[in-house]
Amino acid sequence: MKLNEEERALLAGEGGRARQWAIRHQIEVGRFFDAEDMVEVDQAHVMADPESLGEAGVRWLSDMAGLPEAERRVRVPTITDPRGVDFAAYKRLHQTDEMATLEERAIRAFEAMGVLMTNTCINYQTILPPVRGEHVAFGDTGVVIYSNAVFGARSNFEGGPSAIAAGLTGRTPRYGYHLEKNRLGTKLFELRHQPKDFSEWGALGAVVGRGSGSYWAVPVITGVENAPTSDDLKHFGAALASFGSVAMFHMPGVTPEAPTLADAFDGPPPPASPITAEDIANVYEGYAARGDKVDVVVFSAPQLSLIELEKVANLLDGRRVHSGTTLIAATSPEIKFAADRMGLTRRIEASGGIVLSGVCFYQSYAREMAEANGWSRLMSNSAKLVNIIGGYGYKPTLATMERCVDSAVAGKVL
């Protein structure tokens, strides 16, 4: 890789041990992906849940945090993805003190390095949305696909070490979605059914993701009759990334880099694959379980916006979650503060629900919580969550937010 004078100095150790490790790591990643050089980034976003870090990861971070301040501090704004424990609620969920202690050690290490503990996968809705053409180093797949497609920013899926390295050096290897040539459409899908709610947008993401199936695929979706909301696109992108490992899409007339279909491709568009109401229904059918007892209803993955929390509160008003069912809504710390101030948290918890701050369900020791609470059947309106959570031993059901709340009140899948 071509290195400039500053990068060669970091490699020689002139920026200290942490930055020397970081640039070495980035050179190895860059060589693997045939990057020619580095590109400067304005923000980094780090996966920070101790379930992924483990004892070894937290010890490594703590060693880094023990270096002199000038060597260990990040150079660009560096923020965190959801963590694993909400300290205000972990005992209620039967998470352990050991989990909370590991979490506290990770937080102290990140803070010593100058990382902002934002604890959110909706930073593009709550912290600092990137802008078109801005290079960033983001870690969460839902964050990356939303930033690339909806804002026109540029990021690859950065693993945890790669994102913290980008924070320390202020750059990342220039490959993948930092390059114009990799942002053009590769597949075409034509909507013949308009999604009606968040879960249908997620189901659409599942259909397109299964039909794309590659990190290097850039699906183009036509036939969208009305502009989707930010929350619609959040559920669509998160599911698309989850089912297809996709990091970029175009929606002509909606997303900024392809105002028209002709702009989306380098040459004539390929034949379109139609997406019908039956395709969407088949996604739901794959997770059907009517009549089964429901142990836990989860609104998470991605974290909820204020608008989504208000909808949960409205659906629960005057009702009571069944004694055999737990209802969880997870959001970012900023949205939680707003929900507290506006009375939404009080309304949800008055009906027996739990509002969690700064965590995401599947990053919160989901398997251990299932064992400790006796949970098996899970319902959610998040297509991303139902795709992931089966790997943690759950039997998931995908449904609308309305049906999820009705089922939580009834104690069984309606």
Side-chain angles (χ1 to χ4, degrees), residues 19 31 144 166 207 209 211-212 215 231 233 299 324-325 339 346 352 391-392 404:
R19 273 177 255 283
R31 284 174 175 162
V144 170
V207 174
S212 300
Y215 178 69
D231 285 330
L233 289 174
F299 299 113
T325 302
R346 175 185 52 74
Y392 290 81
C404 285

Side-chain angles (χ1 to χ4, degrees), residues 65-289:
L67 294 172
E69 185 170 4
E71 296 184 19
R72 69 180 188 238
R73 303 284 291 187
V74 292
R75 283 183 166 177
V76 296
T78 303
I79 60 177
T80 57
D81 210 33
R83 295 186 292 99
V85 170
D86 180 338
F87 294 113
Y90 79 93
K91 290 189 177 180
R92 189 174 174 187
L93 297 170
H94 295 149
Q95 294 173 314
T96 66
D97 289 336
E98 288 74 18
M99 294 172 186
T101 300
L102 190 65
E103 193 98 359
E104 289 172 348
R105 289 170 52 204
I107 291 170
R108 285 198 298 272
F110 277 122
E111 288 180 339
M113 297 174 71
V115 174
L116 296 169
M117 301 304 297
T118 52
N119 309 331
T120 182
C121 64
I122 54 170
N123 51 301
Y124 51 86
Q125 288 184 316
T126 55
I127 307 295
L128 186 67
V131 299
R132 185 173 181 179
E134 183 178 9
H135 293 272
V136 294
F138 284 172
D140 179 280
T141 54
V143 172
V144 170
I145 192 169
Y146 196 101
S147 298
N148 276 329
V150 180
F151 290 118
R154 299 180 173 217
S155 181
N156 291 306
F157 292 152
E158 298 275 7
S162 293
I164 198 71
L168 287 164
T169 65
R171 62 205 68 225
T172 195
R174 192 195 306 266
Y175 71 95
Y177 293 95
H178 293 286
L179 301 174
E180 194 74 32
K181 65 180 182 180
N182 294 325
R183 301 175 66 84
L184 292 164
T186 62
K187 293 176 180 285
L188 180 59
F189 297 87
E190 181 186 356
L191 278 190
R192 296 183 182 174
H193 169 79
Q194 300 300 309
K196 296 181 179 62
D197 56 35
F198 303 142
S199 65
E200 282 208 4
W201 276 101
L204 175 61
V207 174
V208 176
R210 286 169 173 165
S212 300
S214 167
Y215 178 69
W216 303 109
V218 179
V220 179
I221 302 94
T222 62
V224 180
E225 294 178 355
N226 298 302
T229 67
S230 173
D231 285 330
D232 292 335
L233 289 174
K234 178 175 70 174
H235 282 273
F236 171 72
L240 177 51
S242 179
F243 282 85
S245 298
V246 172
M248 173 82 188
F249 66 88
H250 296 294
M251 202 172 278
V254 175
T255 55
E257 292 189 22
T260 68
L261 183 59
D263 296 316
F265 291 95
D266 183 17
S273 299
I275 297 177
T276 65
E278 184 179 4
D279 294 320
I280 301 297
N282 286 340
V283 176
Y284 287 95
E285 189 60 31
Y287 299 98

Side-chain angles (χ1 to χ4, degrees), residues 292-306:
D292 279 13
K293 174 183 181 297
V294 59
D295 299 308
V296 58
V297 172
V298 179
F299 299 113
S300 174
Q303 291 173 330
L304 274 64
S305 69
L306 197 60

